[in-house]
Amino acid sequence: MRVPIFRLKKNNMKLYFLPFVFLIVLNSFGQKWQPIDEKIMSRWAKKVTPDNVWQEYPRPQFERSLWKNLNGIWDYTILKSNQPKPKSFEGKILVPFSFESALSGVGKSITPEDKMWYRKKFSIPSEWKGKRILVNFEAVDHDTNVWINGIFVGSHQGGFDRFSFDITPFLNDSGSQIIVVSVKDGTNLSPQLRGKQHFKPSGIVYTPVSGIWQTVWLEAVSDEAYLSEVKITTDIESGIVKIIPYGYEALRDSYLVKAEVFKNQSKITEGSISTNKSLELKINKPELWSPDNPNLYDLKLTLTNRKGQKIDQVNSYFGMRKISLGDHKGVKYLFLDNKTLFHYGTLDQGWWPDGLLTPPSDKAMRYDIEITKAMGFNMIRKHVKIEPDRWYYHCDQLGILVWQDMPSGGKMVEKNNGPTTNKRGDKKYYTNLQHVGRTGVDLNKNTGESIQFEKELRKMINIHFNSPRIVVWVPFNEGWGQYDTCRISDLVKGLDPTRLVIPTSGWSLRNCGDIYDIHTYEVDLKIPAYHKDRATVIGEYGGIGFPIKKNLWNPDIINWGYQTYNNQEDLLKNYEYKFNQIRQMKEKHGLSAAVYTQTTDVEGEVNGLLTYDREVIKIPAKVLNEMHSSLYKD
């Protein structure tokens, strides 16, 4: 399905002067934007306009009432990195889509020598007078500088974590304001964390994403003090939720935070505590969160000063759940809420033909989770990407476990394995461009690179600490950028002892962490080695390709899978052949989890259960659901 190009009709010379001027004015306010119509797009992209693009509140676990969305049409220009701030701009870009994406309306490649510039006029609502104004960026790739009304505000380095600036001192007293943003992006020609982005996309690496790629927004908070974050930990054995509210300029002895817990809009408990201190609240007969019953509790936090005046209020939520290792049939096994549960999920790259790393809409993003669950999966491994907060919110609501990867950096190489034949001897299989990670000793990273990696790692864990969906952290994948493996594993465990850690997924494995994880893309799967103190899992398998011509990203390139077939019957037969091996490993070898590659096709990869545009489900969801149900029977 292709998205039509939206253009203004040429001005009719017979129009009267006033309508003619009106058309020109409309054009200058964003009608020049149009999506790039070169490759396939998803059906949700057809509905994207500058007025409706990503209007949802971006942080569902820390929600305020006073906010303003800055997504939509911005001015842009691209200069060389050594050139000064531009005086004029060359075109329009639809934020929050990256420069390379179709939905940005730009579709240009960015090099490390380029600097991207953005500009937008905005106004401050009159009811915000006397408030402190924050500008929030959910994610920008990669090195960002921000100016307000010509005054430099601050900078940020990183492609996947959110950041904010207090812009109150730089605002005009009245009238319009101007924000200018510059961004540089080195992608794989730099040591930065980037996931699957590559300047020469092919095989398992994809088109780069440069610039703003998640929501930009304003929020108003009290000029006196406000809540900056909250940390929530639950204990299902004692029925306790522990809440630590942090305050900005809210001294502990001067400010009080009231915490109220609700279930189905009815208050069930409450308490008060000073900022930066821990409050424990008892939840009687807690309803636990699980994939079958994703029960959530609402939380309201109210900040008051020493006069008893309410100066800030934030809405959040949490789930009562526990992830742990336990003994089961003589092996270490994954437990959820003190019960065994086999984790079976898809490797989810989170890429879109129209928005690349940015889904075309919130509904589109939610659809991927809904169809994954409908297929009978109870888990998603989010692969070397951190999604917008709302993706995790939908996982919480729908009931999907998440294994969260750290976005990778470092080097990887490719090889062509050529044709192979399975043990049955009845079919040829083609394994093209199989990726190879490092298998030797850990890298020796310099101080700057290791500091940046660990800073972004800490941010990922801190930002997503509160939600029940994430049950496993994965700092390294297949040796990419891997260093100090066991120290990093211990660091993650120290930052978050409530979750399990896979130190490295695939190979370059080390004797540490909670889970031993191999990848096996062979037709006849490898069996993970038994480990006394760790659960064993298959972090990636499958990768069975089925190209559907009209739904290919690019029919003129090699569209590949680890084994590729040309009809649905062979796809299903061979999926079932591999799946049955997973089921047998669970029963006979104590396998705790498996991850199938992958949710959707991505660019040249055709090993998805859905096509890249999400138009074709290659194996009926009902068939998969019935097949997968056998995994959840103890």
Side-chain angles (χ1 to χ4, degrees):
M1 181 179 297
R2 296 186 184 273
V3 175
I5 297 177
F6 301 104
R7 294 189 176 96
L8 280 183
K9 294 181 179 179
K10 292 182 179 180
N11 295 319
N12 188 330
M13 296 304 294
K14 293 182 179 180
L15 291 175
Y16 291 104
F17 178 74
L18 185 59
F20 178 73
V21 172
F22 183 63
L23 282 173
I24 293 176
V25 172
L26 278 179
N27 202 31
S28 69
F29 277 89
Q31 294 293 334
K32 288 182 179 179
W33 170 82
Q34 60 187 33
I36 307 300
D37 187 31
E38 293 180 352
K39 295 185 173 71
I40 58 170
M41 288 191 176
S42 67
R43 57 187 177 272
W44 297 277
K46 293 177 63 177
K47 300 178 182 179
V48 173
T49 71
D51 294 326
N52 70 11
V53 60
W54 279 100
Q55 294 299 300
E56 295 81 8
Y57 192 89
R59 299 181 189 170
Q61 276 200 294
F62 204 76
E63 184 173 352
R64 286 191 175 94
S65 58
L66 296 181
W67 74 290
K68 181 175 181 176
N69 201 312
L70 293 186
N71 290 340
I73 296 297
W74 291 50
D75 301 317
Y76 86 87
T77 196
I78 303 171
L79 301 176
K80 293 303 177 184
S81 59
N82 61 354
Q83 292 180 278
K85 189 188 300 184
K87 295 181 179 179
S88 61
F89 288 73
E90 64 184 90
K92 305 291 183 180
I93 185 169
L94 184 60
V95 169
F97 298 107
S98 69
F99 272 79
E100 298 88 346
S101 70
L103 281 174
S104 71
V106 179
K108 293 183 178 181
S109 297
I110 302 299
T111 74
E113 290 74 38
D114 293 329
K115 183 177 284 188
M116 299 156 276
W117 290 89
Y118 297 81
R119 181 182 64 186
K120 186 178 180 68
K121 289 184 179 181
F122 65 95
S123 61
I124 302 297
S126 58
E127 61 268 27
W128 290 12
K129 187 175 182 180
K131 297 282 187 181
R132 190 189 302 259
I133 310 301
L134 310 178
V135 62
N136 303 307
F137 295 84
E138 292 303 294
V140 182
D141 197 351
H142 184 268
D143 298 338
T144 309
N145 291 295
V146 179
W147 291 260
I148 296 291
N149 296 323
I151 305 172
F152 179 70
V153 172
S155 61
H156 176 266
Q157 186 177 48
F160 294 88
D161 59 303
R162 65 196 189 203
F163 57 97
S164 303
F165 299 113
D166 181 351
I167 61 173
T168 313
F170 314 109
L171 295 172
N172 297 324
D173 291 337
S174 61
S176 63
Q177 319 287 338
I178 298 177
I179 182 170
V180 172
V181 178
S182 74
V183 188
K184 285 191 64 180
D185 186 19
T187 309
N188 61 292
L189 298 182
S190 76
Q192 70 191 48
L193 305 181
R194 61 188 179 273
K196 290 288 193 79
Q197 302 176 61
H198 200 282
F199 280 123
K200 294 181 179 179
S202 66
I204 66 157
V205 292
Y206 318 134
T207 304
V209 168
S210 301
I212 298 169
W213 68 276
Q214 289 187 34
T215 293
V216 185
W217 55 293
L218 304 172
E219 73 182 320
V221 296
S222 170
D223 189 49
E224 179 182 347
Y226 59 92
L227 294 167
S228 57
E229 61 180 298
V230 60
K231 190 172 185 178
I232 306 169
T233 310
T234 62
D235 184 337
I236 67 169
E237 277 86 7
S238 62
I240 294 292
V241 57
K242 184 170 74 172
I243 301 164
I244 306 175
Y246 294 92
Y248 181 82
E249 293 188 359
L251 301 176
R252 287 181 292 177
D253 297 333
S254 303
Y255 294 86
L256 200 64
V257 179
K258 182 180 181 181
E260 301 169 275
V261 177
F262 298 83
K263 184 65 178 174
N264 299 324
Q265 299 183 335
S266 297
K267 186 189 297 186
I268 59 173
T269 187
E270 64 178 86
S272 296
I273 196 76
S274 298
T275 54
N276 299 13
K277 289 186 176 180
S278 177
L279 171 67
E280 293 188 354
L281 296 176
K282 177 70 175 178
I283 307 293
N284 293 321
K285 298 179 180 179
E287 297 181 38
L288 304 185
W289 186 96
S290 71
D292 290 335
N293 296 290
N295 294 301
L296 296 172
Y297 291 87
D298 293 317
L299 174 66
K300 181 188 293 186
L301 301 173
T302 305
L303 178 68
T304 56
N305 60 18
R306 66 181 66 190
K307 298 178 182 179
Q309 298 169 324
K310 184 177 79 172
I311 57 173
D312 196 12
Q313 185 168 287
V314 169
N315 292 321
S316 186
Y317 67 86
F318 62 90
M320 300 287 292
R321 73 102 181 89
K322 175 185 177 182
I323 180 70
S324 60
L325 290 183
D327 296 314
H328 178 63
K329 296 182 180 180
V331 299
K332 287 294 180 183
Y333 205 84
L334 299 179
F335 280 64
L336 181 72
D337 299 337
N338 295 326
K339 298 178 182 178
T340 60
L341 178 65
F342 193 89
H343 294 199
Y344 190 53
T346 57
L347 190 75
D348 196 298
Q349 311 278 4
W351 286 75
W352 295 79
D354 30 57
L356 301 178
L357 282 183
T358 311
S361 70
D362 188 66
K363 288 183 179 179
M365 186 170 67
R366 183 181 171 99
Y367 170 81
D368 274 8
I369 305 167
E370 290 173 331
I371 194 62
T372 301
K373 181 142 188 174
M375 290 175 172
F377 295 98
N378 65 2
M379 176 264 284
I380 292 172
R381 180 182 169 199
K382 180 50 64 176
H383 193 39
V384 294
K385 177 193 179 186
I386 302 172
E387 289 282 4
D389 277 16
R390 291 191 64 85
W391 184 86
Y392 301 95
Y393 166 68
H394 292 314
C395 289
D396 287 339
Q397 286 194 319
L398 294 169
I400 285 283
L401 302 169
V402 174
W403 292 11
Q404 179 62 52
D405 287 10
M406 181 67 185
S408 56
K411 295 182 179 180
M412 59 181 172
V413 296
E414 296 175 344
K415 69 178 182 180
N416 190 326
N417 281 353
T420 61
T421 304
N422 80 332
K423 292 179 181 178
R424 293 176 295 169
D426 61 355
K427 187 75 180 181
K428 266 190 175 179
Y429 297 80
Y430 292 89
T431 311
N432 296 319
L433 300 174
Q434 181 175 351
H435 53 287
V436 182
R438 293 178 50 263
T439 56
V441 298
D442 284 5
L443 292 170
N444 294 313
K445 281 201 173 185
N446 65 43
T447 302
E449 290 179 21
S450 60
I451 287 174
Q452 184 64 25
F453 176 87
E454 291 170 42
K455 178 182 178 181
E456 293 187 48
L457 177 66
R458 286 172 177 270
K459 283 189 172 183
M460 177 183 73
I461 294 169
N462 184 62
I463 288 171
H464 298 289
F465 184 90
N466 292 338
S467 178
R469 72 248 158 181
I470 297 175
V471 292
V472 174
W473 298 115
V474 187
F476 296 116
N477 178 73
E478 294 182 345
W480 302 347
Q482 185 175 331
Y483 76 105
D484 289 357
T485 309
C486 290
R487 181 182 69 81
I488 295 297
S489 176
D490 291 342
L491 171 64
V492 172
K493 197 70 174 180
L495 291 170
D496 185 5
T498 71
R499 292 179 174 89
L500 303 179
V501 180
I502 297 175
T504 182
S505 179
W507 46 80
S508 297
L509 305 179
R510 304 290 184 261
N511 189 27
C512 53
D514 299 304
I515 299 172
Y516 180 85
D517 176 340
I518 72 164
H519 296 176
T520 171
Y521 283 108
E522 299 82 356
V523 175
D524 295 285
L525 307 180
K526 295 178 182 178
I527 300 172
Y530 167 77
H531 283 263
K532 179 181 178 181
D533 300 320
R534 287 182 283 168
T536 56
V537 307
I538 293 178
E540 294 181 28
Y541 91 101
I544 306 171
F546 173 30
I548 300 176
K549 188 172 182 179
K550 68 176 182 179
N551 303 94
L552 293 177
W553 163 257
N554 186 350
D556 299 325
I557 64 173
I558 296 175
N559 288 275
W560 70 280
Y562 288 90
Q563 299 90 38
T564 299
Y565 304 92
N566 293 307
N567 60 74
Q568 190 179 49
E569 292 74 21
D570 280 342
L571 173 66
L572 177 57
K573 179 178 69 175
N574 287 279
Y575 179 91
E576 191 168 11
Y577 180 78
K578 287 192 175 189
F579 174 79
N580 284 336
Q581 295 176 66
I582 295 295
R583 187 172 49 79
Q584 290 167 11
M585 279 188 248
K586 173 191 179 255
E587 295 170 357
K588 297 179 180 180
H589 300 280
L591 188 73
S592 284
V595 179
Y596 181 80
T597 301
Q598 57 190 347
T599 309
T600 72
D601 295 346
V602 183
E603 298 197 357
E605 291 188 63
V606 291
N607 48 20
L609 294 169
L610 286 75
T611 54
Y612 196 18
D613 57 7
R614 279 69 168 176
E615 284 302 301
V616 179
I617 301 172
K618 298 181 184 180
I619 302 175
K622 185 177 180 181
V623 171
L624 289 175
N625 194 305
E626 291 175 355
M627 191 187 308
H628 298 163
S629 63
S630 63
L631 285 176
Y632 310 127
K633 298 173 183 177
D634 198 8

